[in-house]
Amino acid sequence: MAKLCVNVDHVATVREARKTIVPDPVGAAVVAELAGADGITIHLREDRRHIKDRDLHLIREIVKTKLNLEMAASPEIIGIALGVRPDQVTFVPERREEVTTEGGLKVDSQKNSLREVISHFHEKRIPVSLFIDPDPEQVRASRESGADYVEINTGKYSETKNESEEDKEFEKICEAVKLSADIGLRVNAGHGLTYKNVTRIARLKEIEEFNIGHNIIARAIFVGLDKAIREMIKVIQHQ
Ligand code: PXP
């Protein structure tokens, strides 16, 4: 059964809207684990627009399940991550002007540099995931770079406006998921997923873990975080 890692960046985004101390993503991580989440995902961005170094260190201390750190492959963040030792790192592309991660990593154009960075994490026994678009070239390049996992970007699928567009994007995801598993990569998925659109993706048996944040936190405003997380777990597991 696929697992759910809850992305608590969005709690920090609300805090940073006022540059204050609440709501605290550390508290959200505790509630998420109590509600049954299998892991906590955070993204320490270079501009620290939501998650701060303080959040990362505290969340590392308190998480009892699994801490997945999303990060750019930049020297500063790599240094921090190697020191903090998350249970998994996920490399994502990062641009300051974007609102959220847009598109997957172009692994094929940076295979050699990624291979070297990945080896540093492997020396510390930290598995590495690469966030990629559902594109066979990127899947193969991820394998060649030595990554353990790929996280298939479901962002485009989630943004589709009608059924036929969604079907097309879903097909691409299916093919990328199957190819990844066939060539020995473990598979995660995420970005933009909702209580509705995750159902058909959750039927793909090769997917081990979903990283979901925004839609859960949006629902939590109305029903509470505990309930919102339990409902997402149910949706994912009842496929
Ligand atoms: N996976 C990756 C690589 C991401 O960058 C994000 C957003 O931080 C997510 C998953 C979660 O996306 P969402 O918040 O839209 O559920």
Side-chain angles (χ1 to χ4, degrees), residues 147-167:
D148 307 280
Y149 292 81
V150 283
E151 179 178 339
I152 302 296
N153 178 9
T154 51
K156 211 159 170 208
Y157 163 81
S158 297
E159 282 165 13
T160 54
K161 300 277 182 273
N162 58 56
E163 230 172 85
S164 76
E165 270 182 34
E166 191 187 286
D167 288 349

Side-chain angles (χ1 to χ4, degrees), residues 5 7 9-10 41-43 45 50 68 70-71 90-93 100-103 130-132 151-155 158 189-194 210-217:
C5 291
N7 182 317
D9 294 353
H10 310 284
T41 293
I42 53 176
H43 183 174
R45 295 185 72 105
H50 39 54
N68 171 38
E70 292 175 2
M71 54 184 280
T90 301
F91 286 110
V92 299
T100 181
T101 314
E102 290 168 6
L130 302 179
F131 180 65
I132 59 167
E151 179 178 339
I152 302 296
N153 178 9
T154 51
S158 297
H191 211 277
L193 291 172
T194 69
F210 288 98
N211 289 303
I212 307 179
H214 188 267
N215 212 238
I216 292 175
I217 303 303

